[in-house]
Amino acid sequence: IGARRALERADARLVIRLAPARRVFPAYQSRLVLEAAAFEAAAADAREAPFAIMEHWLREGAAPRVILRLRIPDSIEESAALLGRCSVALAMNQRRRLKGWTLDQRVAGEPTVDPLTFDDLRQATGELQEHPDAVETAEPIVVANLLALLIDPDEVDAEGIALRRGLEKNAPGMGETVEIEFYGAALGDDVGLVCPAATAGDIAIAPHDPGGPPFARLFRVEGDGLAPRRATEDEALLDELMRRAAD
């Protein structure tokens, strides 16, 4: 915090005039701000449904779509240096727990389960011309470079994540808005941004930032919306996200 002051001498008196305090560091214009979209605000789903069961799912209002709004202070081109150091992260916690349980079972010599894959489903239902709009990877964690997703999304392996530039027109000088949709996220999963090179103030959550390490901002998918959660530096999930982001 900084404040400007001016000294004035009047006769035998010394007057100090203080201007209102202002934020000096981190500067507001250097931050990437994440904001959770309300589930109700994105209920209409324009995606095509390849199966009859999905037609019913869409017609009945569909499952809530998990969307984060990323506010960029300048244009994407002007903020490319910071965006290039950030990664979008999706942690499918049900898959993570199942994978950990399976490993523990194998070590103990106990029975395990093998989840069905899309290949299994296609073998059972026959060859299909359309594929489900879902995550086909068996990995429980998806991490993809943010700038690469913005520039050439077709060349980035980021199953379960889709980016699009916001349609809303920001006021001059207010930068751009990008919508990050985690269509592979389900109840209990974590979504957000990680940036191994971030310093204090580079990434924030609006309207109330939960704090925590400067290099990660995460949300938990809950029944009534996205809830910001304070990550801790010693948790295994954050270590895994940071390792993948650095790679």
Side-chain angles (χ1 to χ4, degrees):
I1 302 297
R4 183 169 51 86
R5 67 176 185 173
L7 301 180
E8 297 180 4
R9 293 189 179 276
D11 300 328
R13 296 177 301 160
L14 180 63
V15 178
I16 303 177
R17 301 191 183 277
L18 296 177
R22 62 185 180 89
R23 180 171 180 154
V24 177
F25 179 84
Y28 282 117
Q29 63 269 22
S30 67
R31 326 179 52 145
L32 301 179
V33 179
L34 285 170
E35 183 181 16
F39 280 170
E40 298 78 15
D45 199 319
R47 291 175 289 182
E48 294 182 3
F51 300 122
I53 186 65
M54 289 184 68
E55 291 286 1
H56 295 299
W57 178 74
L58 294 178
R59 193 178 303 119
E60 293 175 5
R65 296 170 65 183
V66 178
I67 296 176
L68 290 179
R69 292 193 182 96
L70 174 63
R71 303 194 181 277
I72 303 171
D74 303 306
S75 67
I76 290 176
E77 292 74 16
E78 292 172 312
S79 302
L82 180 56
L83 297 174
R85 297 196 299 267
C86 293
S87 295
V88 183
L90 163 59
M92 292 173 274
N93 290 323
Q94 293 89 338
R95 291 191 184 185
R96 291 178 56 240
R97 294 188 182 99
L98 178 60
K99 186 175 181 179
W101 176 85
T102 302
L103 292 175
D104 291 340
Q105 289 289 96
R106 287 175 181 169
V107 170
E110 299 291 334
T112 62
V113 297
D114 292 319
L116 288 173
T117 65
F118 279 106
D119 289 335
D120 297 328
L121 296 176
R122 291 181 187 122
Q123 183 178 358
T125 58
E127 289 297 325
L128 301 171
Q129 299 299 316
E130 297 177 278
H131 291 178
D133 185 8
V135 186
E136 298 192 32
T137 179
E139 284 292 319
I141 294 176
V142 178
V143 175
N145 184 266
L146 177 57
L147 184 61
L149 276 171
L150 286 168
I151 294 175
D152 195 356
D154 294 334
E155 294 297 320
V156 182
D157 185 13
E159 288 192 61
I161 303 173
L163 265 68
R164 54 185 169 269
R165 294 173 102 154
L167 298 177
E168 63 183 62
K169 297 295 184 182
N170 293 337
M174 294 302 291
E176 295 195 36
T177 301
V178 174
E179 283 194 346
I180 310 172
E181 179 177 359
F182 299 88
Y183 62 84
L187 187 67
D189 289 349
D190 290 328
V191 299
L193 285 184
V194 292
C195 181
T199 57
D202 282 341
I203 313 174
I205 290 177
H208 304 295
D209 190 278
F215 43 78
R217 286 297 181 269
L218 299 175
F219 293 77
R220 176 66 52 84
V221 181
E222 298 187 349
D224 56 352
L226 285 166
R229 78 174 188 86
R230 183 187 179 99
T232 58
E233 296 190 30
D234 58 347
E235 63 179 281
L237 173 59
L238 190 56
D239 288 341
E240 179 68 9
L241 294 178
M242 294 297 291
R243 182 184 66 78
R244 292 176 182 249
D247 290 343

